[in-house]
């Protein structure tokens, strides 16, 4: 099992959750897997925090996810919950979710934002645009409160 795990580590640089899933698919016993994963973590071959930082850094460049979306992504990638929480806390000490939303909306919805700010946009059209923006933002893990604050700042 050890050789299989090292081969997988070398090729994919997985999180502990992904390695656990892989070894379970290979029909190894759960208690043996846990022992091996703990040993690999102690030897620093597996580091969920570093993996989470890598994932968050890549997502920062694309600006496509909010806090909720990033948390879901980390968990899907196999980062343990507590480690994901710490990595997110550290990430959002240097990055503002408001700026992530601004980057996302400016790249995907700039035409809608210009329309909603124009004087020619009537109430019904504004409501429709707000629903579209809400759907897009929440689909990417941005909170409604973050969108509301962003739009309040944008409209003023």
């Amino acid at each position: 099992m050890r050789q299989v795990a090292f081969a997988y580590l070398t090729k994919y640089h997985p999180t502990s959750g992904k390695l656990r899933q892989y070894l379970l698919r290979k029909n190894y016993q759960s208690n043996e897997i846990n022992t091996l994963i703990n040993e690999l973590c102690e030897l620093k071959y597996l580091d969920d925090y570093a993996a989470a930082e890598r994932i968050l850094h890549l997502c920062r460049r694309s600006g496509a996810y909010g806090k909720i979306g990033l948390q879901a992504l980390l968990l899907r990638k196999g980062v343990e919950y507590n480690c994901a929480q710490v990595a997110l806390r550290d990430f959002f000490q240097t990055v503002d979710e408001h700026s992530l939303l601004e980057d996302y909306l400016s790249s995907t919805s700039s035409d809608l934002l210009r329309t909603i700010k124009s004087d020619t946009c009537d109430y019904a059209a504004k409501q429709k645009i707000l629903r579209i923006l809400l759907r897009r933002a929440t689909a990417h893990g941005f909170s409604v409160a973050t969108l509301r604050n962003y739009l309040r700042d944008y409209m003023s």
Side-chain angles (χ1 to χ4, degrees):
M1 174 174 64
R2 193 181 225 34
Q3 288 79 13
V4 172
F6 275 113
Y8 191 75
L9 276 172
T10 313
K11 189 171 183 179
Y12 296 107
H13 306 288
T15 60
S16 59
K18 288 290 182 182
L19 180 61
R20 181 176 285 110
Q21 289 173 355
Y22 176 75
L23 293 173
L24 284 171
R25 280 195 313 267
K26 293 287 186 182
N27 295 322
Y28 291 106
Q29 297 298 319
S30 184
N31 58 348
E32 293 173 348
I33 293 171
N34 291 337
T35 303
L36 178 62
I37 286 176
N38 289 338
E39 182 180 329
L40 292 173
C41 287
E42 287 174 13
L43 295 171
K44 303 291 186 206
Y45 287 116
L46 267 179
D47 187 354
D48 277 1
Y49 183 80
E53 281 187 322
R54 243 185 349 265
I55 293 166
L56 292 171
H57 177 71
L58 291 172
C59 289
R60 170 64 183 116
R61 285 193 284 164
S62 70
Y65 293 102
K67 194 174 220 173
I68 299 165
L70 289 171
Q71 179 181 355
L73 178 66
L74 290 176
L75 296 176
R76 272 195 318 272
K77 295 280 188 180
V79 176
E80 291 186 10
Y81 180 81
N82 291 336
C83 190
Q85 293 302 312
V86 171
L88 282 168
R89 184 198 64 219
D90 294 348
F91 179 72
F92 281 106
Q93 286 179 350
T94 59
V95 175
D96 181 28
E97 188 174 19
H98 190 276
S99 65
L100 288 176
L101 179 62
E102 183 176 12
D103 293 346
Y104 171 70
L105 290 178
S106 65
S107 67
T108 62
S109 307
S110 59
D111 55 335
L112 292 174
L113 291 170
R114 278 192 306 274
T115 304
I116 200 171
K117 198 170 185 178
S118 72
D119 294 334
T120 60
C121 189
D122 67 347
Y123 181 78
K126 282 185 181 183
Q127 291 302 307
K128 184 176 182 180
I129 291 171
L130 288 173
R131 283 193 302 274
I132 292 168
L133 293 174
L134 179 64
R135 195 170 38 248
R136 287 182 183 177
T138 56
H140 285 269
F142 292 100
S143 69
V144 175
T146 303
L147 178 63
R148 185 181 305 123
N149 292 337
Y150 171 76
L151 289 173
R152 187 178 304 124
D153 293 346
Y154 183 78
M155 298 300 281
S156 58

